[in-house]
Amino acid sequence: MASRATISAARSSRAAAPWAMFWLNLLSGDISVGSRTPVAGTPAWVTPRVLHGGFANGTFLAGGPLLPFEAGLLEEHLTNISEPPSLSRRALQLQATDRLRLNMFFLSARGRSLLSSHLDDGTYRVSVPEEAVILTLVLLERKNDIARAEDILKAILPWIDRLRFYPELCATPQPLSDTEVFRMSVKEVTGELEQRSRAIPNWRASQHYFDVTVKMPLFDELVSLFAETIASGEPMPFFETRNGKKSVSGGWPCRVYPMGWRARMRSCVERIAQITGSKREINRHSFKTLVELGKKAAAGPALLSGKEVGRIRFYLAGINEKRGLPGSDRCVTMRERHRNVPDGTEGAVVARALLNRLEAEPEQDGLANPDSFIAPLTQEEASSRFIVGKRPMPSLTRLICMATKGSPEVLMDRGLIPSGEVLASLLPRITATRTSSDPALNRLYLATYASFRNRRSLLLLNYQHQIRFNELPWAAALEAHTDPGTSAAAVLLRRVSRIFLKAFPDQITPNKLVTELQTLFANAGRSDKLLEELASDIFMGRFTPKFSVAARRAIEDLHNSVYGRYYRLPSLERLPSPPQEFLSALVNERVDRTGTYVVRSGKQIEQAQILTTHNLVYLASVAELSADDLKSMILKALASIDKMAGQASSKRIRWGLRLASCKNAAYAWRQVIFYFAMLEKAGDVETIRELLAAGKGEATRKLLGDLSLCFGDTLEDNPDPTPIAISMSDKAATVHTLAEIAKHTTGKDCWMVIDGLVYDVTDFLSEHPGGDEVMLDVAGKDATQAFEDIGHSDDARKTLKSYLIGKLDPTSVPPPAAKKSGGFFGWFK
């Protein structure tokens, strides 16, 4: 059996091999970064192997060595493989590979007939989109769509010797339900259980089993041998307390030595030495000491000093007090209990029992009732009394539950969908809403679509987009024979949007979910374009038009809401031009350009997400959320913010995770403000008041206090003014210097100081009763005197609070008679 070090080394080698291939191909010029076709001379429809970060390493998921199922097909159909008359291998410069022979077989009449029967039964599995190609050709042949079949064949022929265009043939059909999903199929679960059943024993359990079955009996034998040397009639050593002091009483060891005692002691010590030689250490000090003293006594009792005999007596008293000497009732009871200690192989035993329970279940389906498979083990299933009548351990129970089949809502209730990414991985089965009257076509379309959605995204530059499903020649042919199902897609769009927003109100839309939702938006006949979390456009210094469209939609809907006031969204009239690409200019206006490239990019991404709401404005328009829905979402997000704020401030968590917690808390807080804006739009003032007082932790109480200032006249009782946080990153630096304020003196960017507080009054200039010239005269300065001289009303002072952005740094205000000091050291005078 392989050791843990060997297994770990093998795992590390497997993880490093793809990256080694990436660097080798990159340095040789065979691959490029940032392209839709990263491998030179490869069409976009070929599925590359994509590593973490979006880097293709030059290999293909449908290529490489033959898989086990391909080897079986080759062995079964080897004698039946012949080249189709229309295929000229020499003309196409193809290599005579086993994969070419298999592709040729399935293109032959016999192979197409075999696939046709599996197509009708659904007994096939498509893991990579390319594996659906010949199945599609068979389907097109049935429908007499020869033109599309020929186009597909021409596209794949140059790759027919390297890629597999045939599926894995199975004994059980794949499920056709478009309402039920599961995280793992029965086949995937059984594959994991197979590994668990062959896994090396649990180290801690096996070590404990060795201790109680090998070491402890030897220890008991050693103690018994020393106990035999106590004179007959004398009590065994024990502890007693005299005058408040604990001392040893009873007989003394090493007084009498029975016949053959030295030989038996020598044998015991030698067996203990064998344990040490097998790298099983003896960790207990008393055990080690008694072994050394036993070795001396076996060599000759006279070698033991009086002090060493006293130490033996002391150890015997301690053992007698703790659990009783060997042979006593207490010691016998304890050793009897140790007989049922697990030996570390129970996990493998339970895994094999679960494998037997799953044996009759369809491989490609999930489990409608997983609880029946995790019932306690019977006597026939268990080989150890320790696990009879007990449920499988938690890790194996979770594995079985991963195959639970049901609607996304059911899986959500069972805690099997912990994030938006997991939800996105389950949606392809139900988002493929295109249908037809042909069950075989529906099943093939579903299988092809689901495998395509498993394709990892590439890192792209120059505003390129990821390959779309209908760019696969065979996928486009399938879509030509299906109906979009617009009404069904609209219903499903509302359902999925509600599921995500209600289950994960604190999370932004992950890119995988964006892809699925975008498909539903398109199938439902909506032109909205969803946005990715981190667009490649940021590397080009600008954003594609869809980002500007989303920002315009968000500004139009939210400018006069609490969201618009909190984040100071500009009015539509103040948007930069050109209209279709204004977002880049607007982001640059709002972003401080200081810091490294990474810092500046992070600020740009944050402001872009604020201005566009990162798909919230689109999802909320279709989700039809009620006030109760919004209330529960806000409460759930606030609890998450408090948790992440605690993680971000904890020094027990490593630095990278603290930064991630801070970022995720900022995302959650932005979404909370959006939900408040929806409540404000609905006019639910009572719920808003209730939620503003719902902060449980210090972070949410402070944030909600800041937010309450932005409701203006919506609320009657506002708390004392505190600086309004622009975003999570700005909140850490709400103090502004006078030099910084002096830069904001234009009609498009106007700041001023009143009573030591800094206000951004840009949006109020056009609404000022005295005209904007009066305010521009004191822009970038301390306007306290001018403000008080006018004698503003209480309503004006109340309105002023909504434009608060921070406070003035008093150290940045020079004293009246201060002299300018030149040079570097002048800053410190």
Side-chain angles (χ1 to χ4, degrees), residues 410-459:
V410 170
L411 268 62
M412 200 82 69
D413 292 340
R414 295 192 64 139
L416 296 175
I417 304 181
S419 67
E421 287 85 354
V422 175
L423 175 63
S425 68
L426 302 179
L427 289 181
R429 182 168 296 279
I430 61 176
T431 54
T433 57
R434 303 182 71 95
T435 58
S436 74
S437 58
D438 185 354
L441 173 57
N442 291 339
R443 201 188 301 267
L444 179 58
Y445 181 85
L446 180 64
T448 309
Y449 183 85
S451 65
F452 175 78
R453 286 309 181 205
N454 291 329
R455 176 175 175 141
R456 298 189 66 175
S457 298
L458 288 163
L459 174 64

Side-chain angles (χ1 to χ4, degrees), residues 34 43 209 302 497 508-509 598 609 637 666 760 776:
Y209 181 79
S497 299
I508 63 172
T509 321
V598 174
Q609 292 182 350
D760 182 354
L776 290 173

Side-chain angles (χ1 to χ4, degrees), residues 207-217 335 338 341:
Q207 179 67 36
H208 184 56
Y209 181 79
F210 180 83
D211 288 345
V212 300
T213 58
V214 177
K215 286 171 61 175
M216 290 301 101
R335 297 307 184 208
H338 284 167
V341 167

Side-chain angles (χ1 to χ4, degrees), residues 367-416:
L367 299 175
N369 182 23
D371 294 336
S372 61
F373 295 92
I374 53 178
L377 272 67
T378 63
Q379 181 68 48
E380 294 75 18
E381 292 176 317
S383 59
S384 168
R385 288 185 297 168
F386 182 76
I387 56 177
V388 172
K390 294 189 176 182
R391 294 171 66 89
M393 48 278 298
S395 61
L396 295 179
T397 299
R398 286 194 299 270
L399 182 61
I400 294 293
C401 290
M402 285 294 185
T404 302
K405 181 175 67 173
S407 66
E409 292 86 348
V410 170
L411 268 62
M412 200 82 69
D413 292 340
R414 295 192 64 139
L416 296 175

Side-chain angles (χ1 to χ4, degrees), residues 529-547:
K529 301 294 183 183
L530 301 186
L531 311 178
E532 296 79 10
E533 175 185 355
L534 179 58
S536 61
D537 312 83
I538 194 67
F539 298 111
M540 312 309 296
R542 54 192 295 196
F543 296 91
T544 49
K546 69 177 182 180
F547 282 83

